[in-house]
Amino acid sequence: GMDGVLVIAVTVLLAFGVVAVASASMHLGERNGEALYYVNRHLIALLLGIGAAWLVFRTPTNWWKKSSTLLYFLGLGLLLLVFVPGLGREANGALRWIAAGPLSLQTSEFMKVFIVLYMSGYLVRRQLEVAHSMWGFVKPILLLLLACSLLMLQPDFGTTAVLLMTAFGMLFLGGAPLWQFAMLLVLAIGALVVLIWISPYRLERVTTFLNPWEHAQDSGYQLAQALIAFGRGEWTGVGLGNGIQKQFYLPEAHTDFVMAVIGEEFGLIGTLLVICMFALIVWRSYAIGERAEARGDRYAAYVAYGLGLWLGMQAFINIGVNVGLLPTKGLTLPFLSYGSNSLIVCCIAVGMLLRVRHENQTVGDGREGQWQRV
């Protein structure tokens, strides 16, 4: 009863992720005395993610709907915890993690799911208000800005951009007038430009992105090495494990720049395969949401639409950064990058999509009075 296309696409990406993380991180593990250190942690996170996905799959969407507001404020509380002395853990100049024994909890990752659930509930409760009232359109944005403010204090510009674009897309799908949507989009772009302008390191990233080869030995080093990796890969790649750029040339090769490793070792063919898998996931998300809307469950439909928007948007940003289409920012590639919290949350998203698909199969369509299958 599972969605075969969705499951196959996710499985291909997860398998690619394990292989790419192993290839990109073994030399780092050897430096610490354990070649498979990062691979083992990635596999443990994958098992935890599959378990979490199963639990979510077993949870009715009505429970998500009833708990959506509570979960959103729980997410805000988790974002605040990183600023508590002794709990928050800083790495690479960012305060994004909560120390939990041997594990670290990156609260911003869970906020991505919580914002989708909250926005879905709001769009169902306030459908007419969103479509016909400026205040109905602005109210959820105010709460969203609160979450984004906490993220920017960490700072986490990449997650902030993903949350904003996901929420704006859901408002548009929820019936918000185009002029309101366009006005809000202009304001958001203006705010992001101001944030870039007043922050020296963000401004440096943008200027470096425009011409990375002028800064190939300093601020543009990471992007330049990623582009070299794609260039070496050509059509079919240099072969698994034969990549050179990951060997202490390309920083964060197993996390933010895992796509460059895939491009070098699997070439254009491997890169296009990954992109096609993400396209299938987004397509199935919208197909599942469309079927849920047809049977009258608008909340489940918005959840599916929102999850598809988030996963597709984050993949687009990460790949765009890797190939030099977007300025460099710390954002993982869903299902592939090393990062326990990101992998677990992505698996949870898949569990939610499969739950909506399951209810599409087992709940009758009220208009047609018969059982439907997607």
Side-chain angles (χ1 to χ4, degrees):
M2 295 290 182
D3 188 307
V5 175
L6 176 62
V7 171
I8 290 173
V10 170
T11 302
V12 169
L13 291 179
L14 290 174
F16 242 117
V18 172
V19 172
V21 167
S23 179
S25 67
M26 288 184 70
H27 65 287
L28 297 174
E30 288 176 352
R31 190 169 57 176
N32 297 324
E34 185 182 349
L36 297 179
Y37 174 80
Y38 293 99
V39 181
N40 291 335
R41 290 174 68 89
H42 188 79
L43 290 174
I44 291 172
L46 179 56
L47 291 176
L48 291 174
I50 292 172
W54 181 82
L55 290 175
V56 169
F57 176 75
R58 301 292 298 174
T59 305
T61 56
N62 279 336
W63 186 89
W64 309 345
K65 184 176 181 180
K66 293 176 183 177
S67 307
S68 58
T69 303
L70 177 62
L71 290 173
Y72 176 79
F73 284 103
L74 172 64
L76 289 180
L78 290 174
L79 290 179
L80 285 170
L81 284 180
V82 302
F83 302 105
V84 176
L87 280 180
R89 186 174 66 84
E90 185 175 349
N92 297 326
L95 188 66
R96 302 177 186 173
W97 295 268
I98 297 175
L103 303 176
S104 296
L105 181 67
Q106 189 174 356
T107 56
S108 58
E109 290 293 336
F110 294 89
M111 197 63 191
K112 296 171 184 176
V113 174
F114 295 157
I115 198 69
V116 169
L117 295 179
Y118 171 75
M119 290 297 299
S120 300
Y122 182 84
L123 290 173
V124 171
R125 294 190 305 271
R126 306 289 183 179
Q127 178 186 8
L128 295 178
E129 196 175 352
V130 169
H132 301 287
S133 166
M134 185 67 180
W135 178 236
F137 180 75
V138 169
K139 278 192 294 186
I141 299 301
L142 296 178
L143 283 176
L144 178 65
L145 290 178
L146 177 59
C148 290
S149 299
L150 294 176
L151 287 170
M152 291 304 298
L153 290 175
Q154 296 183 4
D156 193 345
F157 188 78
T159 299
T160 300
V162 170
L163 286 185
L164 286 173
M165 288 187 284
T166 301
F168 291 173
M170 293 182 70
L171 284 170
F172 180 74
L173 294 174
L178 186 60
W179 69 270
Q180 291 182 4
F181 180 79
M183 182 179 66
L184 186 62
L185 190 61
V186 170
L187 290 175
I189 293 174
L192 292 177
V193 170
V194 171
L195 288 173
I196 292 172
W197 184 259
I198 64 176
S199 178
Y201 88 92
R202 293 194 192 102
L203 184 60
E204 184 181 42
R205 284 186 173 185
V206 172
T207 55
T208 299
F209 147 76
L210 295 175
N211 192 350
W213 302 109
E214 283 190 1
H215 311 271
Q217 298 302 320
D218 42 75
S219 58
Y221 179 80
Q222 196 169 25
L223 177 55
Q225 297 302 318
L227 294 176
I228 291 172
F230 283 108
R232 291 192 74 248
E234 297 185 349
W235 288 96
T236 59
V238 297
L240 177 61
N242 294 326
I244 294 176
Q245 295 306 110
K246 65 189 180 185
Q247 301 287 345
F248 303 108
Y249 290 102
L250 178 61
E252 308 297 336
H254 60 306
T255 55
D256 301 344
F257 280 81
V258 71
M259 193 66 178
V261 176
I262 293 174
E264 182 179 10
E265 299 189 352
F266 296 94
L268 179 64
I269 294 176
T271 302
L272 291 179
L273 176 62
V274 170
I275 294 173
C276 287
M277 293 302 104
F278 278 113
L280 288 177
I281 291 173
V282 174
W283 166 54
R284 291 312 303 160
S285 300
Y286 274 81
I288 291 170
E290 182 183 19
R291 189 70 204 107
E293 191 168 9
R295 65 176 173 83
D297 192 343
R298 295 179 59 248
Y299 178 80
Y302 287 132
V303 168
Y305 294 151
L307 294 175
L309 275 170
W310 155 41
L311 293 172
M313 195 67 65
Q314 184 163 329
F316 172 78
I317 293 175
N318 180 276
I319 296 172
V321 166
N322 273 248
V323 299
L325 290 176
L326 296 172
T328 302
K329 54 179 61 65
L331 203 62
T332 58
L333 184 59
F335 305 109
L336 286 99
S337 292
Y338 172 81
S340 301
N341 292 275
S342 174
L343 185 57
I344 291 171
V345 170
C346 288
C347 290
I348 288 173
V350 175
M352 288 181 168
L353 289 171
L354 293 176
R355 178 66 198 187
V356 176
R357 169 60 154 63
H358 173 71
E359 293 187 3
N360 287 346
Q361 291 180 290
T362 56
V363 177
D365 187 317
R367 296 179 305 167
E368 298 179 10
Q370 61 184 356
W371 300 96
Q372 298 289 332
R373 291 183 177 271
V374 177

